[in-house]
Amino acid sequence: MRDGVLLGVERRRRWTDEAKLAILGEVGVNGWTVADVARHHDVTRQHIYQWRGEMRRKGLWPPDDAALFLPVEMTAAPEVTAEPGGPSAEITVMLRNGRQLRCPGGIGDAALVRLVRLLETA
């Protein structure tokens, strides 16, 4: 800045709610982290966290305790039959970070969600 005249490109940008929601929606897709998305859109990680809070206040983004739907790939699997008195069926979940979660077939939904969240954040 010289004599009250801006030299160069102004860095302050305005983002619409739709653009913010689109950017927020990229977090977690194909394993992208907040840092990856921020770098891709040339914003800071803090912008993304602020936008999440702003969208929650406006009712446009789900609250922390809301169920989130994650993309999954279904593959053909052999039919599993459980014999009486034998081991029960097992569920195998492949996580975005490459980890596998194996648990008994009778595990409750809430317990499975807690385990997936724990393993994806660790």
Side-chain angles (χ1 to χ4, degrees):
M1 186 169 194
R2 187 177 350 156
D3 299 324
V5 178
L6 286 174
L7 300 175
V9 179
E10 181 181 357
R11 288 292 296 164
R12 187 170 195 87
R13 293 175 281 178
R14 306 283 183 215
W15 299 89
T16 63
D17 285 349
E18 292 79 23
K20 290 176 185 179
L21 288 169
I23 291 171
L24 289 172
E26 292 179 17
V27 176
V29 175
N30 294 329
W32 278 34
T33 63
V34 170
D36 295 330
V37 173
R39 208 172 8 255
H40 183 258
H41 292 282
D42 195 27
V43 296
T44 65
R45 290 176 298 155
Q46 186 59 32
H47 277 106
I48 293 178
Y49 293 121
Q50 286 175 337
W51 292 348
R52 267 190 200 163
E54 178 186 341
M55 294 299 115
R56 280 191 187 113
R57 284 189 299 278
K58 290 182 178 181
L60 300 174
W61 191 256
D64 284 333
D65 59 350
L68 294 177
F69 294 98
L70 300 174
V72 296
E73 284 185 32
M74 301 299 289
T75 58
E79 188 175 319
V80 178
T81 58
E83 298 178 18
S88 63
E90 185 177 84
I91 297 173
T92 302
V93 179
M94 298 293 295
L95 302 174
R96 290 182 297 210
N97 56 17
R99 294 181 179 166
Q100 286 186 7
L101 172 62
R102 293 186 183 147
C103 39
I107 190 169
D109 292 344
L112 185 58
V113 167
R114 283 195 310 267
L115 286 171
V116 167
R117 285 184 180 163
L118 174 70
L119 289 175
E120 284 202 337
T121 58

